[in-house]
Amino acid sequence: MRLVRWTPDDLVRRLDDVVAVYGEAMGYRADLLRARRGYIATHVRRPGFRAVASLTSEGHLAGFGYGYRGTPGQWWHDQVGRTLEPATRQRWLADCFEVVELHVRPPAQGHGLGAGQLRALLGIAEGATTLLSTPEADEQHSRAWRLYRRFGFVDVLRDFRFPGDERPFGVLGRDLPLLPPATAGRAPA
């Protein structure tokens, strides 16, 4: 398995594969995936866009992650921002890298690909904070929730409902930069 940084053009070239991995990981219907394809294609033009991908030795896409700088006027940023108190909104959204998608094909899950992708993505992210949303789940049994907690993500909003999706989501955040594993947890010199 090879973890690579992707340019916007790389992601667009592999958009069919990206949408397939997204659909497998999230269990979404085909009609929703068609709409999501268009959103993903426009996300590559957002400020601070960063992407990573996990490729098999044959070049097949096993997973990917991407994000960008969150700014007012972006749908997710505005949905989350309007529910936060002003001080909390300032703390989390003023200089934020939004992790938009982070997915691994189900057969490839449980082998550290998601952690590698998240570490790589946050390592190249711009901003003072990072936020993401994930469907609510039992934190003890959800690989995604356990991953985000290992990376130090804390609750910003819980049981949040985005328009058009009946499921509740958790919005999680952490400060940036992400310290390299060798220095994480050590006191500064």
Side-chain angles (χ1 to χ4, degrees):
M1 200 64 65
R2 186 170 48 106
L3 180 63
V4 297
R5 184 172 174 177
W6 266 359
T7 66
D9 289 340
D10 293 329
L11 191 141
V12 170
R13 269 193 296 279
R14 299 289 300 263
L15 190 54
D16 290 339
D17 295 332
V18 165
V19 171
V21 170
Y22 174 78
E24 285 180 44
M26 296 296 285
Y28 282 144
R29 303 179 321 267
D31 60 324
L32 183 66
L33 293 178
R34 281 190 296 278
R36 194 69 188 156
R37 188 180 199 286
Y39 299 141
I40 293 170
T42 63
H43 288 167
V44 302
R45 293 190 291 268
R46 298 266 170 99
F49 178 85
R50 301 288 186 269
V52 297
S54 294
L55 303 172
T56 67
S57 56
E58 298 83 23
H60 299 293
L61 185 63
F64 72 96
Y66 76 85
Y68 45 74
R69 298 291 296 249
T71 60
Q74 296 170 351
W75 183 84
W76 190 93
H77 181 277
D78 291 350
Q79 292 297 316
V80 170
R82 71 186 167 112
T83 65
L84 298 174
E85 296 295 325
T88 305
R89 184 172 42 253
Q90 177 65 27
R91 166 148 172 44
W92 288 108
L93 291 173
D95 187 18
C96 177
F97 179 83
E98 179 191 336
V99 176
V100 180
E101 303 295 349
L102 184 76
H103 301 290
V104 175
R105 285 188 190 274
Q109 292 175 2
H111 302 287
L113 295 182
Q117 290 174 175
L118 185 58
R119 184 175 294 108
L121 187 59
L122 296 182
I124 58 176
E126 298 176 346
T129 62
T130 184
L131 288 173
L132 58 82
S133 56
T134 190
E136 290 283 358
D138 179 342
E139 291 188 34
Q140 301 302 312
H141 295 98
S142 167
R143 285 184 172 142
W145 277 87
R146 290 192 319 261
L147 172 67
Y148 301 140
R149 293 302 194 207
R150 276 196 321 270
F151 273 76
F153 280 84
V154 299
D155 295 346
V156 176
L157 289 172
R158 293 299 299 262
D159 296 312
F160 182 75
R161 296 193 188 263
F162 290 100
D165 197 323
E166 66 279 352
R167 299 169 304 163
F169 283 77
V171 176
L172 307 177
R174 64 157 286 137
D175 290 323
L176 290 176
L178 180 66
L179 297 175
T183 60
R186 280 197 222 153

